[in-house]
Amino acid sequence: MKKVYNFNAGPCVLPQPAVDAAIEALKDFNGTGMPVISVSHRSKEWDAVMDECRGLWRELLHIPEEYEILFLGGGASLQFLMVAMNLLENKAGYLETGVWAKKALKEAKGIGNAVCIASSADTTYNYIPKGYEIPKDLDYFHITTNNTIYGTEIKYDMDCPVNLVADMSSDIMSRPVDVTKYALIYGGAQKNVGPAGVTFVIVRKDVLGKVTRYLPTMLDYRTHIDGGSMFNTPPVFSIYVMNETLKWVKGLGGVEAIHKMNLEKAQILYDEIDRNPLFVGTAAKEDRSIMNVCFVMAPGYEELQDEFLNFAKAHGMVGVKGHRSVGGFRASIYNACPKSAVQALIDCMQEFEKMHK
Ligand SMILES: *Cc1c(COP(=O)(O)O)cnc(C)c1O
């Protein structure tokens, strides 16, 4: 198989042991004589996977009992709507830190009174707004902890006077999280915890059942709580791979250990960006994401952009092209991206520097 360094933003690199386990499970799932995609989701063998997966979420993020963990369909994008339908009665506030945050706000506006509390749209979302005040009369305040496209991240669990809701699609399981600071956390699995097709929701039960609108059965969190995430057929294969991915996280020493590795990977790459005269980072330094590292050619070297992309590609780098809305480069260095891949990218940048100095 061709050797590549995968920096895709999502779907993205997954731990090899999880991929290998998935391949085996497609041949014979736990000795059932059937591929995992053919067993009944009502079987005891499948129940065991659901239980183990929920257990791993609880253990790895220290999720207290008053929270439920759901595995749903529809992606983070459906959560933009579901959050508002289930929690918005009078007024909701949103921190607009990027395109995903903006999309979440748009869905909430379709449901009720949702307002932007602060935004960094003025400078293409290259920083996290600070110094804003969260009104006390909000049903909830919504944040996007990691802005996948712009490479900014809220790296701490903020104190919030109202229910805090977070889209953690692209930094879940990358750092320890104090779940008790949040009323609801959601995300698509395909950045850090598995393949596309499954969406995780961690919700504190007491925030539900407070809205007066009619909730369609499938869009009511309580349906999925009551059904153990199996009100309808769950995305079995995606959940299977998610479970294997979480086992891998646990095997490495949990989220605390992974966080250390992530900090190290991000540090060496940002150090190179800051040192190398050909490149410059785009995100405000204090808000730099440890998951998505965004950079561009430095002033004076702009015309080398395509050349560097081709050079990186020739050296086995995949997915380093920046999002079309920002241009330049983006290296997504999620949990499963090894330090050796980051080092290979750094080597590439240094070689490219030598060619052009
Ligand atoms: C990728 C991403 C989404 C969209 O997720 P889908 O599962 O494709 O709907 C939403 N928010 C953030 C922060 C993302 O990175």
Side-chain angles (χ1 to χ4, degrees), residues 19-323:
V19 175
D20 291 341
I23 292 167
E24 285 311 308
L26 280 175
K27 295 181 192 157
D28 180 10
F29 168 58
N30 283 355
T32 56
M34 289 175 277
V36 64
I37 48 175
S38 301
V39 297
S40 166
H41 64 291
R42 305 290 175 199
S43 64
K44 70 175 191 324
E45 289 87 356
W46 180 253
D47 262 342
V49 175
M50 292 293 282
D51 286 344
E52 183 177 29
C53 195
R54 271 188 290 257
L56 282 165
W57 273 91
R58 226 174 251 295
E59 182 182 344
L60 290 167
L61 289 181
H62 314 291
I63 301 173
E65 247 182 60
E66 57 279 20
Y67 290 78
E68 292 282 345
I69 305 153
L70 303 176
F71 308 135
L72 309 177
S77 299
L78 182 60
Q79 291 311 306
F80 298 163
L81 175 72
M82 254 176 103
V83 161
M85 288 193 90
N86 283 267
L87 303 184
L88 172 52
E89 181 71 6
N90 298 308
K91 191 178 171 192
Y94 280 69
L95 187 63
E96 197 199 72
T97 51
V99 160
W100 296 120
K102 196 173 165 177
K103 286 183 175 169
L105 174 57
K106 174 177 181 276
E107 290 307 297
K109 279 183 170 164
I111 296 299
N113 182 17
V115 296
C116 174
I117 300 298
S119 171
S120 51
D122 54 342
T123 53
T124 326
Y125 303 114
N126 71 347
Y127 68 100
I128 303 290
K130 291 161 198 84
Y132 56 86
E133 211 171 303
I134 303 168
K136 310 255 182 319
D137 64 342
L138 299 177
D139 295 324
Y140 64 89
F141 180 57
H142 179 284
I143 60 172
T144 310
T145 49
N146 186 66
N147 299 283
T148 323
I149 295 173
Y150 310 92
T152 63
E153 186 176 12
I154 301 169
K155 287 169 277 197
Y156 57 94
D157 304 305
M158 63 169 72
D159 291 312
C160 184
V162 298
N163 285 326
L164 184 60
V165 173
D167 173 358
M168 292 198 187
S169 293
S170 54
D171 65 349
I172 190 76
M173 296 281 173
S174 71
R175 66 168 175 93
V177 165
D178 180 357
V179 172
T180 64
K181 298 254 182 164
Y182 302 84
L184 193 150
I185 296 170
Y186 68 87
Q190 70 274 17
K191 313 285 170 36
N192 238 356
V193 287
V198 59
T199 310
F200 59 87
V201 175
I202 302 164
V203 58
R204 206 177 65 226
K205 281 170 280 188
D206 67 81
V207 299
L208 301 176
K210 303 257 167 79
V211 293
T212 47
R213 75 177 53 82
Y214 166 73
L215 292 172
T217 307
M218 274 295 284
L219 299 182
D220 186 338
Y221 288 121
R222 292 170 303 179
T223 301
H224 302 288
I225 291 175
D226 294 346
S229 295
M230 295 207 287
F231 170 75
N232 67 321
T233 319
V236 287
F237 188 63
S238 298
I239 293 174
Y240 182 84
V241 184
M242 178 164 73
N243 188 43
E244 291 300 321
T245 304
L246 296 184
K247 280 187 203 143
W248 173 83
V249 172
K250 182 177 170 178
L252 285 180
V255 175
E256 290 77 7
I258 285 255
H259 185 221
K260 258 194 206 150
M261 297 178 212
N262 286 334
L263 287 173
E264 214 179 293
K265 286 185 295 181
Q267 184 72 47
I268 58 171
L269 185 49
Y270 282 121
D271 280 352
E272 175 60 19
I273 290 167
D274 292 341
R275 184 210 61 80
N276 195 317
L278 267 64
F279 301 100
V280 59
T282 52
K285 281 193 181 168
E286 71 276 14
D287 299 324
R288 281 174 162 178
S289 166
I290 62 167
M291 293 282 100
N292 310 95
V293 177
C294 295
F295 55 106
V296 294
M297 298 307 307
Y301 295 101
E302 290 96 339
E303 76 284 2
L304 294 177
Q305 176 169 311
D306 289 347
E307 194 184 326
F308 179 69
L309 278 174
N310 289 330
F311 183 78
K313 204 169 154 190
H315 285 76
M317 312 287 142
V318 172
V320 289
K321 195 176 160 89
H323 189 270

